[in-house]
Amino acid sequence: MSTVSPHSATPKIELIGVKKAFGPKKVLDGVDLSVAKGESFVIIGGSGTGKSVMLKSILGLLRPDAGTIKVDGEETTHIGGRARDRVMTKFGMLFQGGALFDSLPVWQNVAFGLIQGQGMKRSQARDIAIEKLAAVGLGPDVANLSPAELSGGMQKRVGLARAIATTPEIIFFDEPTTGLDPIMADVINDLIVKCVRDLGATALTITHDMASARKISDRIGMLYQGKLIWQGPTSAIDDSGNAYVEQFIHGRAEGPIQMQVKLG
Amino acid sequence: MGFLSGIGRATLVFLAATGRLALFTARGLSHCVRPPFYPRLLVQQMREIGYNSLPVVGLTALFTGMVLALQSYTGFARFNASSAIATVVVLSITRELGPVMAGLMVAGRVGAAMAAEIGTMRVTEQVDALTTLSTNPFKYLVAPRLLAGTLMLPCLVLVADIIGVFGGYVVSIYRLGFNPSAYLTSTAQYLQTIDVVSGLVKAAAFGFIIALMGCYNGYHSKGGAQGVGAATTHAVVSASIMILMINYLLTGLFFS
Ligand SMILES: Nc1ncnc2c1ncn2[C@@H]1O[C@H](COP(=O)(O)OP(=O)(O)OP(=O)(O)O)[C@@H](O)[C@H]1O
Ligand SMILES: [Mg+2]
């Protein structure tokens, strides 16, 4: 444990000028971001603006074309092999689509990082898995089901339980409340807040749910056309003075952001 | 000019693909020998590739042995050489048909399943999820399959050899009216260790190729259900062609 305070010199995660294109399509076009230790940062932005791509670039699942990514001050942009494995142990990730292992029962999904990553005994890992499932509102009866037998929202929650099971230092949530009812969404919000406040984790969350964003974040940033066009403390989101942010948080069809749709 | 640049481009694409496959093979092999190992997964794959393929491979071998006896009889009877049938059956089965038939059947059964499973894991981000859970996909998915394929195919082929020879025996005795003990004697007479061993070495190579093509195509599949379908087809077709090519090369090495 270091004793640095949240706004100290070494950020937990730092992106400098990160660019990523798929063929001719520029998705990230110079993203600069710095998230302090123990901070909860929320990224908002339209569908298809590259939010998921940004998280995957930080995790090393996608290789950025340019720019630098640092985790705990260590440059991780181009590392691989063992160095990458070591950095990975700091992370937990909830994938947008859940990405549960369909060949394993639910409890083994949740316990996967404990058993395979940390070499914990299966019986002990199972107890922890049941505990984490309870934290996301799932009873022990689902533990032995296969992921395909769960509803979409339940799969999302299992994915969440898996992401937090190893109590990682940094947790990425890709749309944690999408597909959940409002009450369960709020339970998940509380859970994310708890991970950050009680366990001291650093969280980076993507969401379209503004109520959730306000509740779980210390700071919010908006991604638009490959750049973080605005970022600031959550309290400042309502008077950001940025027309794009205004339009987005109020969900207006009219404004500077033009959707590529044609109304018949 | 357009023609030449077309050839150039095709050559570059081919070289790039070969390079990617070579890199994938090297990575897969290196993870086979470096810990952590996943014995549980290895056993599971060995059961899937070996035990579960027994019926298919056994039936193929049985009918191959039977048809071999029948065909060689119709051929050899013209030259009064029907006593050579036992030798023809046992040598064809152990040297060539056992490994090749088993290889092709397992390529269709197991290679396709591997490509489909890993491909689905790839397009549903399960492979990425493995990485985020500090588990190397090469160790967890590729290495157990490569090992299991290489280890189990020789076992399957050994069984196929026995069943194939048995098939030839059944047809020769009950349909063609040979003397059982004379048939068995001539089966054993010209059979050498190298005949069986060369078949088993081929089988190990085929098992490796099947698993490699299944994993490689699955690992690099993209674009949803259609991509997984294409990966599955590629895995089976490329494994089958490579089996036949490698079979020729190995036969040349062993028996020239
Ligand atoms: N593997 C890939 N290959 C090609 N293009 C990709 C790939 N992954 C993402 N893209 C493209 O990058 C863009 C950003 O995708 P991304 O998934 O990051 O969007 P997002 O901001 O997370 O959107 P949403 O809110 O809908 O999840 C999309 O236009 C997508 O088409
Ligand atoms: Mg997304």
Side-chain angles (χ1 to χ4, degrees):
Chain A
M1 261 332 258
S2 63
T3 50
V4 278
S5 65
H7 295 282
S8 73
T10 2
K12 196 75 180 166
I13 305 169
E14 193 173 14
L15 277 70
I16 306 159
V18 171
K19 296 188 180 182
K20 177 76 190 173
F22 294 102
K25 183 174 192 166
K26 283 186 194 161
V27 176
L28 300 181
D29 193 16
V31 173
D32 298 304
L33 170 70
S34 159
V35 183
K37 186 174 186 306
E39 188 180 34
S40 174
F41 194 95
V42 163
I43 301 161
I44 57 175
S47 182
T49 48
K51 304 182 295 298
S52 299
V53 168
M54 184 174 139
L55 288 198
K56 286 181 192 165
S57 302
I58 301 174
L59 288 166
L61 299 173
L62 292 174
R63 194 147 284 206
D65 303 328
T68 308
I69 295 167
K70 291 182 185 173
V71 177
D72 279 326
E74 178 192 354
E75 163 137 20
T76 63
T77 329
H78 298 292
I79 60 169
R82 271 165 210 229
R84 170 66 67 189
D85 291 349
R86 182 174 44 72
V87 172
M88 271 308 179
T89 58
K90 297 181 185 178
F91 286 96
M93 162 93 183
L94 165 67
F95 284 86
Q96 187 169 5
L100 300 178
F101 304 124
D102 40 30
S103 58
L104 299 176
V106 165
W107 79 266
Q108 285 190 33
N109 264 282
V110 178
F112 196 92
L114 300 168
I115 298 174
Q116 308 295 356
Q118 303 183 354
M120 188 186 279
K121 275 223 192 67
R122 293 172 76 84
S123 56
Q124 192 189 351
R126 191 188 154 97
D127 292 342
I128 296 179
I130 303 269
E131 205 177 286
K132 299 289 175 187
L133 283 172
V136 295
L138 293 170
D141 48 316
V142 302
N144 287 322
L145 297 180
S146 113
E149 294 173 282
L150 304 181
S151 74
M154 289 164 91
Q155 289 183 8
K156 192 112 220 182
R157 286 185 277 157
V158 173
L160 196 75
R162 183 174 74 179
I164 61 172
T166 53
T167 47
E169 296 169 37
I170 306 168
I171 321 180
F172 289 174
F173 301 102
D174 198 341
E175 306 197 5
T177 55
T178 306
L180 301 182
D181 64 82
I183 301 172
M184 190 46 74
D186 206 46
V187 170
I188 297 305
N189 288 339
D190 287 339
L191 183 73
I192 294 174
V193 170
K194 190 166 156 254
C195 285
V196 176
R197 299 271 151 76
D198 300 357
L199 307 175
T202 306
L204 193 53
T205 310
I206 295 173
T207 189
H208 294 294
D209 173 355
M210 284 313 297
S212 169
R214 286 171 205 273
K215 182 156 183 178
I216 63 177
S217 63
D218 299 319
R219 283 199 299 141
I220 298 182
M222 175 152 169
L223 196 62
Y224 181 69
Q225 290 190 339
K227 292 192 177 67
L228 272 179
I229 52 161
W230 182 87
Q231 51 179 309
T234 307
S235 52
I237 187 88
D238 286 313
D239 33 31
S240 61
N242 184 307
Y244 295 92
V245 177
E246 290 281 306
Q247 186 193 350
F248 190 87
I249 64 174
H250 294 112
R252 295 192 199 105
E254 297 82 31
I257 307 174
Q258 290 301 315
M259 290 285 165
Q260 307 283 330
V261 289
K262 213 171 189 160
L263 297 175
Chain B
M1 213 45 221
F3 176 66
L4 282 183
S5 71
I7 292 181
R9 208 172 306 121
T11 313
L12 283 182
V13 168
F14 175 75
L15 288 180
T18 314
R20 261 203 310 277
L21 178 60
L23 220 58
F24 186 91
T25 313
R27 260 179 94 185
L29 283 175
S30 80
H31 284 287
C32 288
V33 293
R34 279 186 297 154
F37 302 113
Y38 295 97
R40 193 185 281 265
L41 292 173
L42 178 61
V43 170
Q44 189 186 326
Q45 288 302 324
M46 285 171 76
R47 181 157 16 98
E48 176 60 31
I49 299 173
Y51 185 73
N52 292 351
S53 300
L54 269 178
V56 169
V57 170
L59 277 175
T60 313
L62 183 71
F63 286 109
T64 307
M66 285 165 71
V67 86
L68 259 180
L70 213 53
Q71 262 312 354
S72 16
Y73 180 75
T74 53
F76 288 166
R78 294 180 204 161
F79 309 105
N80 290 324
S82 41
S83 58
I85 290 180
T87 312
V88 168
V89 169
V90 73
L91 290 189
S92 317
I93 291 277
T94 53
R95 285 180 171 200
E96 296 293 338
L97 293 174
V100 170
M101 287 298 203
L104 293 178
M105 293 315 278
V106 173
R109 209 190 84 84
V110 176
M114 281 181 187
E117 186 178 357
I118 298 181
T120 306
M121 291 185 73
R122 163 61 74 196
V123 301
T124 57
E125 299 182 323
Q126 292 178 50
V127 175
D128 290 340
L130 275 178
T131 311
T132 66
L133 292 163
S134 313
T135 304
N136 190 315
F138 268 81
K139 278 199 167 45
Y140 188 83
L141 296 174
V142 179
R145 285 170 171 79
L146 290 180
L147 283 174
T150 314
L151 292 175
M152 288 322 284
L153 251 256
C155 302
L156 276 172
V157 165
L158 199 60
V159 176
D161 285 352
I162 295 168
I163 295 180
V165 169
F166 172 75
Y169 173 85
V170 168
V171 168
S172 305
I173 305 307
Y174 296 101
R175 175 122 189 230
L176 308 175
F178 278 69
N179 175 308
S181 68
Y183 186 89
L184 286 180
T185 312
S186 45
T187 296
Q189 200 172 15
Y190 294 106
L191 184 66
Q192 292 177 321
T193 319
I194 182 74
D195 299 323
V196 178
V197 168
S198 68
L200 298 185
V201 171
K202 284 178 177 181
F206 299 166
F208 181 78
I209 290 295
I210 292 166
L212 181 70
M213 294 326 280
C215 293
Y216 176 79
N217 286 290
Y219 196 83
H220 291 288
S221 63
K222 42 179 168 276
Q226 200 177 12
V228 175
T232 310
T233 311
H234 281 154
V236 176
V237 172
S238 54
S240 304
I241 291 176
M242 284 172 85
I243 284 174
L244 295 173
M245 273 167 35
I246 290 173
N247 182 50
Y248 177 78
L249 293 178
L250 286 180
T251 302
L253 273 181
F254 276 112
F255 300 108
S256 62

